[in-house]
Structure formats: structure tokens, C-alpha cells
């Protein structure tokens, strides 16, 4: 085992992680990709790796990095995340001691911080051991075409409450929808590579002006186009903004709305709550002993069994 690798069963130390984090930071800025940053899709990778968790059956979650395999990776909800995994592959080759499950979740925390967001507490030690009995069935991730009941059904299953659902949804300050991935189109905020509370502000600011549209593929979303910025004939058009039906349910449901209002008014509060809830998301289903070491149901020494 190389000197810089953690002992079996132990999480990488802060010192060992520093070069890994630096490599992730170096990877974020990609002028040719989307809006110039791989950060948003890396955040989504971590979220989808963890957001399959079910507290009743203790299945799913980020441990095991099951999305590497077709059963989970081929879930249509994960379309596009192969790009995020491919971005991280050279880092995995450079630092083989870090598990995929740790790398995916760590990369998201690096991205959030680099893009101006809060520092999310993160603990390592996840293994890439896939326990067949814990592979989640497809269909556990949210469907953007639905509403508040669906959000509660999906997120209560993971053990989150209404406030946490709203805080987590604030990740839509980052990135965009891609027609060839989810079928939805566009970005939520004008600067989708800067983490802020703008998403909550815009939900409220354009309330009443968000227009429901039906895309060519039949999906419905809400759009806002500033006519003043839309440009005349032949001019370059300012891209409009979008919201998913699930995003809009955060302002139509009174309990969710209270939190949208709080987060729109107070970015510090949003950052604090987001950091806590994102950390909680990344820990779902992970059992640790008193030293913080991850305990798998089966005792595997290096945790890698594919
Ligand atoms: Fe999301 N999300 N998300 N999302 N999400 C999409 C993109 C991104 C839903 C649907 C979509 C969270 C919650 C929800 C990010 C982070 C998070 C896309 C577009 C859809 C659709 C994908 C594509 O076409 O490429 C729905 C529905 C929910 C919900 O019901 C609450 C959460 C909790 C997070 C999080 O990180 C905590 C990010 C980042 C993106 C942008 C990805 C990119 O490539 O850019």
C-alpha cells in the first residue's frame, strides 16, 4: 500500500485529502463546458448518489457508489451524470486511495465552496463495496413534473422535514436543465455558477409572471423572459429563466413558502441551513463506529468489491 494511503477501514486524513481537493478545484473551471464550470453537475452527482436513501429499509445512500453500475447508473433520473463521473475519473486514477463514494461527495463540497457557497462539513471513509441487498430500486429520485405531495413523499423517505426540503432545493442556484438529460431546458438564475440565495428571490420576485409552457417533448415547465432583455430581431437573445413544477410548489405550498421567504431574505441563514442539510444528505445510510470509521454490514478489508 502506498505511504499516502489511509490504513484499511480508516478515512483519509485531512493531509491526504488536501491534494485531492486541490485537484477538484483545478477541474472546476472548464470554459467549454456548459456555463464554464463542472461544479453544478458534480453537486448533482453527489446528491443523486445519496438521495436514493430510504430510512425504513436502510437502503440506498452514497456509500458504495452504486451509480457506477447499470442498475443504478442507468436510472433515467441519472442521465447526464456520466459526465460528472468522467470528469472525476483522472482524480480517482491519481489518488486511488480515495473511494469513488468519498470522491463524489467530497467533490460536491469543494464545488459548493469554490462557487461561493458555504463550507459543508464532510466526513470520509465511505467504501465502494456494493451490497446487493442495499442497491436502491430505480425511481427513488424526485420527478420535476410533480408537486408538493411528491416532494414530501420523496424527502420524508430519506428523513428530511419541510425546512430541509426547501434548503436542499436551494441547490438549484447552480447549473441548468439539459433537454437531452432530463428533458427540461434552461437555468434557474442568471449566474448559475455562483452559489447564492438568488433562486429563492426569483421564485418570489417573478411570482405571477412565471409562465407555464409546454416543451416539444410534452414536458411542462415555468419560464420567465424579461421582454426588455429579450432583444430585437437579429440580436442575441438573453436566455430566459426557468422553474420546474416542483420548484414552483415551494411557493404554492404554505409550509414550504415560509422557508422560501426566510431564505430569500437572509442568505446567511440559507447558507447555514444548506451546509447542515447537505452534510446530512451525504451521510445518509452511513454507519460509523466511535472513531468515525464506516462500518459495512459485511467486513471487507479494503471495501472494494465490484
Ligand atoms: Fe436538481 N435537478 N432536483 N437538485 N439539480 C436538475 C439539475 C440540478 C430536481 C430536478 C432536477 C435537487 C432537487 C431536485 C441540482 C441539485 C439538486 C435537473 C436538470 C432536474 C430536472 C438535469 C439536467 O437536465 O441536466 C427535482 C425535481 C428536485 C426536487 O424535487 C427537490 C437537490 C436536493 C439538489 C442538491 O444538490 C442538494 C443541481 C446542482 C443541478 C444542475 C446540474 C447541472 O448539470 O447543471
Amino acid at each position: 500500500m502506498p505511504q499516502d494511503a489511509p490504513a484499511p477501514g480508516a478515512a483519509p486524513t485531512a493531509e491526504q485529502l488536501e491534494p485531492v481537493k486541490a485537484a477538484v478545484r483545478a477541474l472546476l473551471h472548464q470554459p467549454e463546458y456548459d456555463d464554464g464550470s463542472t461544479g453544478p453537475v458534480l453537486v448533482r452527482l453527489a446528491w443523486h448518489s445519496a438521495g436514493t436513501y430510504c430510512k425504513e429499509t436502510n437502503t440506498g445512500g452514497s456509500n458504495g457508489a452504486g451509480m457506477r453500475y447499470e442498475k443504478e447508473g442507468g436510472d433515467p433520473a441519472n442521465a447526464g451524470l456520466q459526465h460528472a463521473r468522467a470528469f472525476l475519473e483522472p482524480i480517482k486514477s491519481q489518488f486511488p486511495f480515495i473511494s469513488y463514494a468519498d470522491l463524489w461527495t467530497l467533490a460536491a463540497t469543494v464545488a459548493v465552496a469554490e462557487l461561493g457557497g458555504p463550507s459543508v462539513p464532510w466526513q470520509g471513509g465511505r467504501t465502494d463495496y456494493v451490497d446487493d441487498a442495499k442497491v436502491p430500486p430505480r425511481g427513488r429520485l424526485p420527478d420535476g413534473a410533480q408537486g408538493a405531495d411528491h416532494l414530501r413523499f420523496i424527502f420524508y423517505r430519506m428523513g428530511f422535514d419541510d425546512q430541509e426540503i426547501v434548503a436542499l432545493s436551494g441547490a438549484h442556484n447552480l447549473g441548468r436543465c439539459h433537454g437531452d438529460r432530463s428533458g427540461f431546458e434552461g437555468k434557474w438564475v442568471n449566474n448559475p455558477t455562483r452559489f447564492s440565495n438568488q433562486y429563492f428571490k426569483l421564485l418570489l420576485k417573478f411570482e405571477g409572471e412565471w409562465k407555464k409552457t409546454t416543451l416539444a417533448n410534452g414536458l411542462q415547465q415555468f419560464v420567465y423572459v424579461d421582454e426588455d432583455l429579450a432583444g430585437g430581431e437579429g440580436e442575441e437573445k438573453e436566455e430566459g429563466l426557468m422553474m420546474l413544477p416542483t420548484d414552483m410548489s415551494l411557493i404554492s405550498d404554505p409550509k414550504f413558502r415560509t422557508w422560501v421567504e426566510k431564505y430569500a431574505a437572509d442568505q446567511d441563514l440559507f447558507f447555514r441551513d444548506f451546509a447542515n442539510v447537505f452534510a446530512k444528505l451525504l451521510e445518509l445510510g452511513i454507519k460509523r463506529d466511535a472513531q468515525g470509521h464506516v462500518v459495512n454490514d459485511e467486513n471487507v478489508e479494503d471495501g472494494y468489491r465490484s
Side-chain angles (χ1 to χ4, degrees), residues 57 72 91 120 146 178 201 222 230 248 287:
T57 54
E72 189 178 335
I91 301 186
V120 176
Q146 311 241 6
H178 305 76
K201 289 186 174 166
F222 291 79
M248 295 301 286
K287 208 159 68 184

Side-chain angles (χ1 to χ4, degrees), residues 40 43-44 47 142 144 151 171-172 175-178 181-182 188 246:
V43 172
R44 189 165 200 244
W47 139 236
L151 288 190
H172 284 172
R176 57 168 58 245
C177 296
H178 305 76
R181 299 183 189 177
S182 61
W188 292 269
T246 40

Side-chain angles (χ1 to χ4, degrees), residues 33-35 39-41 43-44 47-48 79-81 142-145 150-151 155 165 168-169 171-172 174-184 188 244 246-247 274 278 281:
Y33 179 75
D34 266 9
D35 300 286
V41 80
V43 172
R44 189 165 200 244
W47 139 236
H48 276 208
L81 293 177
D143 170 6
H150 174 71
L151 288 190
F155 285 88
I165 292 173
L168 280 170
S169 302
H172 284 172
L174 295 179
R176 57 168 58 245
C177 296
H178 305 76
D180 60 346
R181 299 183 189 177
S182 61
F184 295 102
W188 292 269
L244 299 166
T246 40
D247 296 310
F274 182 82
F278 198 60
L281 172 73

Side-chain angles (χ1 to χ4, degrees), residues 258-279:
T258 313
W259 289 102
V260 173
E261 287 171 355
K262 284 188 208 230
Y263 294 143
D266 187 345
Q267 176 162 281
D268 292 344
L269 176 70
F270 167 53
F271 275 23
R272 261 201 315 278
D273 285 357
F274 182 82
N276 288 332
V277 74
F278 198 60

Side-chain angles (χ1 to χ4, degrees), residues 140-153:
R140 284 215 176 149
L141 292 159
D143 170 6
Q146 311 241 6
D149 289 351
H150 174 71
L151 288 190
R152 291 197 168 95
F153 174 74

